[in-house]
Each structure stands twice: as structure tokens, then as C-alpha cells.
Amino acid sequence: EDQVTQSPEALRLQEGESSSLNCSYTVSGLRGLFWYRQDPGKGPEFLFTLYSAGEEKEKERLKATLTKKESFLHITAPKPEDSATYLCAVQVKAAGNKLTFGGGTRVLVKP
Amino acid sequence: DTAVSQTPKYLVTQMGNDKSIKCEQNLGHDTMYWYKQDSKKFLKIMFSYNNKELIINETVPNRFSPKSPDKAHLNLHINSLELGDSAVYFCASSQNPTSGTTGELFFGEGSRLTVL
């Protein structure tokens, strides 16, 4: 069965304190790995797609990387507005357009 | 102009009742989904429709019945509600699988269902 595990569950950062979130996955035939951001009371918002090991994507203070077994979301010099839950999801070749999500990492950035 | 809108945002109801959640997208996407987010924040797919055709049906009790009258709408009807049905239900849409990436989902704001 496809599995996606995110760590840590929660992360408290001071503004400007860079850190990384981990998403490890066990799937057969990865088609893509996706990162989403979810604010309280809102639906997830798409951030990045990664397709192959070694690929990297950047958006403002966020950078996502992918290896054959895990993905990292690096947050550089975070600001309070980066506080959110970050969700990782995988799409498997044999499963059509279904996404399997991890449990998320809740990030709180304090000023 | 909201891309994926679902109503109602909140439902509070008694066990055994029937309820419906409606979803509409104005993005021109062919594929729509229902996801359930439980109290531990895990998002799990329930159903997926592509151009009104059911393409994913996870192991969901048959008390849950999706209906897609056209490709811009996907509704969810739940019969005989149980306590365990309490969750946030998200509607989402994405491009046609054959024309673009289908992992980029656009989600609605969710419908929080509380069963008493």
C-alpha cells in the first residue's frame, strides 16, 4: 500500500529561522510528488510538483527537493505569514489521478 | 470570483439524517473530486469524476452517493448519517488527465459536517 509520512508533525520557528520539512514515501511507480499549503479553515493550496529525483522547485522563501525516497520543503528566513500546515501528496502511475496525502506539518512562525 | 465553491460551509445534524453538499467549479476543468479530512487532518480521496463519469470510487460506504449533473458540478449526498461521518469534506477540481498534470488540484474551502 502507498504510504506518505511527514515529519515533524509540528514546527515552531522564530521569524528568520530557516528549517526543513520532510516527506518520506513508499510507493510503487511514482508519477509525481506534490506540496500544498493549508491555512486554518481553508482548502489546500497547490505549491509545487516534483516528478523525478534531483528535481528542485522554488517559490519565494520555499524550496522543494526530491529524492527517490523523500522530499524536503525548505523554508528560508520564514515570516509569520508562512505559518500554515504543509501537506505532501504522491500520485502513483497505477492509481490514475488519485493523490495520497501525508498527515501534514503544522508550521508556526513567531515574530 | 471563487474558482471552486461548495455549500454549505457548515452542517450540524442528527444521526440518521440525510444531507447534501454541493460543489461548483468555474475553471473549465474536466475532473472533480471529493476528499474527506478527518480530525487528524488526513485528507483521503472518496470519489473522482471526469466529465461526469465516475473514475475513482474508494472504499466508501454506499451511504455516500456522488452525483455529477455536468462537468462543472459535483454533489455529495449522504444517507443515514453516523457519528463517524463528522469531518470536513473538500471538493476539488483539476485538468483532464490527458491534457495536463492532474496532481494540481484546486480545492474549495470545505464543508464541516458535525453529526450529533
Side-chain angles (χ1 to χ4, degrees):
Chain A
E1 189 180 321
D2 303 326
Q3 286 201 332
V4 182
T5 304
Q6 291 188 246
S7 61
E9 283 189 16
L11 194 57
R12 292 165 68 101
L13 301 170
Q14 284 298 128
E15 184 171 2
E17 179 190 359
S18 300
S19 189
S20 294
L21 284 54
N22 178 266
C23 170
S24 63
Y25 60 91
T26 307
V27 300
S28 47
L30 180 73
R31 175 184 284 160
L33 185 140
F34 306 86
W35 282 98
Y36 283 79
R37 168 191 171 128
Q38 186 174 22
D39 292 303
K42 304 285 186 183
E45 179 185 344
F46 171 78
L47 292 173
F48 303 111
T49 308
L50 300 163
Y51 291 108
S52 54
E55 192 175 356
E56 298 182 352
K57 294 271 177 77
E58 276 189 77
K59 182 179 179 178
E60 295 179 358
R61 294 175 293 282
L62 301 177
K63 179 178 173 181
T65 62
L66 181 66
T67 72
K68 286 188 178 176
K69 292 185 178 179
E70 58 192 349
S71 176
F72 291 93
L73 184 66
H74 308 278
I75 311 179
T76 302
K79 298 183 177 182
E81 53 262 43
D82 295 321
S83 298
T85 295
Y86 292 87
L87 299 167
C88 167
V90 297
Q91 193 175 56
V92 177
K93 289 175 184 171
N97 55 351
K98 167 185 167 184
L99 287 186
T100 300
F101 281 86
T105 295
R106 284 191 321 278
V107 174
L108 176 63
V109 183
K110 302 190 102 179
Chain B
D1 205 19
T2 307
V4 180
S5 58
Q6 47 183 116
T7 56
K9 194 169 170 68
Y10 300 98
L11 303 94
V12 181
T13 190
Q14 300 286 331
M15 268 195 331
N17 284 351
D18 304 338
K19 286 293 177 187
S20 291
I21 308 171
K22 294 188 174 183
C23 179
E24 175 182 5
Q25 55 95 3
N26 62 8
L27 297 167
H29 290 159
D30 289 329
T31 309
M32 294 185 73
Y33 311 79
W34 279 110
Y35 276 82
K36 178 180 179 181
Q37 190 169 46
D38 61 24
S39 55
K40 294 188 176 177
K41 304 297 184 187
F42 273 94
L43 260 175
K44 294 188 85 170
I45 191 167
M46 300 173 70
F47 303 102
S48 173
Y49 271 76
N50 185 55
N51 203 9
K52 302 193 297 174
E53 181 186 348
L54 180 66
I55 53 173
I56 291 176
N57 183 351
E58 290 292 287
T59 47
V60 176
N62 57 16
R63 298 182 294 103
F64 290 79
S65 50
K67 277 212 175 106
S68 182
D70 57 60
K71 72 175 192 177
H73 295 84
L74 179 62
N75 304 322
L76 182 66
H77 188 76
I78 316 169
N79 290 327
S80 305
L81 279 156
E82 300 177 358
L83 293 176
D85 297 331
S86 296
V88 182
Y89 293 85
F90 285 99
C91 176
S93 71
S94 70
Q95 287 182 327
N96 186 317
T98 59
S99 64
T101 177
T102 58
E104 182 178 343
L105 269 55
F106 292 78
F107 284 86
E109 294 213 330
S111 297
R112 180 176 293 275
L113 171 65
T114 302
V115 183
L116 303 174

